[in-house]
Amino acid sequence: MTLNVVELFSSIEGEGSRQGFPCSFLRLYDCNIRCSYCDTTYSYDGAPHESMTLEEVAHALRQMGHRYITITGGEPLLQAPAVVALIKMLSAEGSYEFNIETNGTLLPPLITDNVFYTYDYKCPSSLVEDMMNLDVFQHMTSRDVLKFVVGSIDDLYTMRDIIATYHPIASVFVSPVFGAIEPKTIVEFLLEHKLDDVKVQLQIHKFIWDPSATGV
């Protein structure tokens, strides 16, 4: 069994519930949607990638030596059988904790105590909201993260309505499309609408490194 890999690197978690912690990253190739503001266009449409065996990927992650591992893309669940096999392989060896960053179109293939999902609900400015799989709300756990990346006021109202409709059990985060909306606007919206269970986040890796840098 193999995985199509774009990047393997060590950095810090730039967002979400583990923001700021050292982490190993596995970025997988290909995506089934095309968000208008995508910042990882180098992960699909024929971009350079390598087919690696599970043991090769596992060895690289072991060498990095971090307990936290984030599997991202593209859309990593397009390679779900191999992702699950990799997690089971590494879980049998040590106390790794996995974050799978997914775009909200596919259901989670593995629910265990050492795996959580970061679901990225796509708001209207993404131009792909109609591809969201609303069944994911039934599969979320309290370990998971529901992330809204917003680029407009309309996106913020969509976030508010989704939360009110589905009452997600996951932790809810909101962040701006980089350069498209002022973080202050998001804060003011949360305060005005009493969204006390939503946490504002900024992608700190884009402030530490160049926003367009890869492998960070």
Side-chain angles (χ1 to χ4, degrees), residues 33-36 122-132:
I33 61 176
R34 297 291 182 269
C35 298
S36 63
K122 305 301 182 181
C123 292
S125 71
S126 71
L127 305 182
V128 292
E129 187 186 8
D130 61 334
M131 296 187 69
M132 293 297 94

Side-chain angles (χ1 to χ4, degrees), residues 89-141:
M89 175 190 294
L90 288 169
S91 297
E93 301 172 3
S95 56
Y96 295 103
E97 297 180 29
F98 299 89
N99 172 21
I100 300 176
E101 295 186 335
T102 180
N103 62 26
T105 65
L106 302 170
L107 298 182
L110 179 67
I111 298 178
T112 60
D113 288 345
N114 69 331
V115 175
F116 74 91
Y117 292 85
T118 297
Y119 296 96
D120 190 348
Y121 186 91
K122 305 301 182 181
C123 292
S125 71
S126 71
L127 305 182
V128 292
E129 187 186 8
D130 61 334
M131 296 187 69
M132 293 297 94
N133 186 342
L134 298 177
D135 288 341
V136 299
F137 288 100
Q138 301 174 30
H139 293 264
M140 288 179 185
T141 73

Side-chain angles (χ1 to χ4, degrees), residues 143-161:
R143 297 188 302 276
D144 295 331
V145 168
L146 174 60
K147 179 176 71 170
F148 294 90
V149 180
V150 299
S152 67
I153 293 294
D154 284 347
D155 287 355
L156 286 166
Y157 277 105
T158 294
M159 176 191 71
R160 184 199 64 176
D161 294 345

Side-chain angles (χ1 to χ4, degrees), residues 3 19-20 45 66 71 83 86 89 101 127 148-149 162 167-168 173 175 177 183 192:
L3 283 163
Q19 187 178 61
D45 282 352
H66 302 302
I71 303 174
V83 168
L86 175 69
M89 175 190 294
E101 295 186 335
L127 305 182
F148 294 90
V149 180
I162 288 293
H167 305 287
F173 289 74
S175 61
V177 175
E192 178 184 352

